[in-house]
Amino acid sequence: MSPAVFAGRFDDRAVAVTGAAQGIGRTVATRIAAEGGAVVLIDRSEIVHEVAKELRRSGFDAHSVTADLETFTGAQAAIDEARAQHGRIDVLINNVGGTIWAKPYEHYTPEQIQAEVQRSLFPTLWTCRAVLPHMIARSAGTIVNVSSVATRGVNRVPYAAAKGGVNAITASLALEVAQYGIRVVASAPGGTDAPPRRVSRGPAAQDEQEVAWYRQIVDQTVDSSLLKRYGSLDEQAAAITFLASDEASYITGTVLPVAGGDQG
């Protein structure tokens, strides 16, 4: 089934999407462009330029930026370039993150724990900080963070901690900035079917034990879903674009699970 496209829903909106080279981020950016938004796709992979080029060939307003959002310097540079395209950012969608390793917590090294948190918490923390002065000055803006229901899941404790931090950012920042007319919301995807990644999140399983640990994640994800399946990229994008749109104008500080009934 083809996803519904609401023509004009993002007309006159400048929307920055991080992690936009593939997966959920790419699907979200494509949908917002089809719905009239001027999109700036941000990713550390050069693939993001191919995606933006494809969107422009389809007649959409799309620009691409490469940046390492795990540092504040990279996040600030990306936000500055995104702003320069249209003079403003109406919506920021923070989609960077993803599990690097899959194993019980006692098997993580300190360096791996830090890397997981650096990957899945700091890009959201930094880009929110970079965009806020601009949104506050305009007394307008929407931030949509992409969290995860894996805040309650097996074999991903550091990732769960990072996404728990994203939930905390969403709740606390929404409380701070509502006075400026800024909304801060989040979606929490569950397991999502997607094509093979062109840039992997981490090393492939090295032995039978690592394969079994990853299988535990898959099994728990399906078992925790009332619908007993993974979602699709379009199902995740539908929730995120709704939260980013004016249709959600009375929603802030909320984390919406999109996981077939798994509340996380």
Side-chain angles (χ1 to χ4, degrees), residues 44-206:
R44 66 182 178 185
S45 169
E46 297 291 329
I47 298 170
V48 75
H49 300 308
E50 298 175 21
V51 179
K53 189 178 295 185
E54 290 174 13
L55 291 176
R56 289 194 295 271
R57 280 199 294 263
S58 297
F60 301 134
D61 187 341
H63 179 77
S64 52
V65 178
T66 51
D68 179 3
L69 301 182
E70 293 183 18
T71 70
F72 180 66
T73 301
Q76 185 69 70
I79 291 299
D80 287 347
E81 186 170 346
R83 279 187 58 198
Q85 296 306 305
H86 305 284
R88 68 189 194 282
I89 296 174
D90 297 303
V91 180
L92 169 63
I93 297 174
N94 285 316
N95 176 65
V96 171
T99 305
I100 305 173
W101 293 278
K103 53 188 172 182
Y105 189 45
E106 68 268 23
H107 293 280
Y108 279 85
T109 67
E111 293 76 18
Q112 289 171 342
I113 293 167
Q114 186 165 341
E116 292 276 13
V117 174
Q118 197 74 29
R119 165 80 59 83
S120 292
L121 174 62
F122 276 92
T124 295
L125 202 60
W126 291 143
T127 52
C128 284
R129 174 60 182 84
V131 83
L132 268 181
H134 165 64
M135 288 186 171
I136 289 171
R138 296 181 61 238
S139 294
T142 298
I143 297 172
V144 182
N145 298 323
V146 179
S147 181
S148 174
V149 294
T151 48
R152 181 179 179 272
V154 299
N155 296 350
R156 291 185 283 180
V157 167
Y159 174 72
K163 289 302 190 179
V166 170
N167 291 349
I169 293 167
T170 301
S172 296
L173 192 56
L175 192 62
E176 284 190 14
V177 300
Q179 62 183 310
Y180 303 111
I182 299 167
R183 293 190 304 113
V184 186
V185 291
S187 75
T192 305
D193 282 322
R197 296 179 63 85
R198 293 177 63 185
V199 178
S200 64
R201 287 177 175 151
Q206 300 298 308

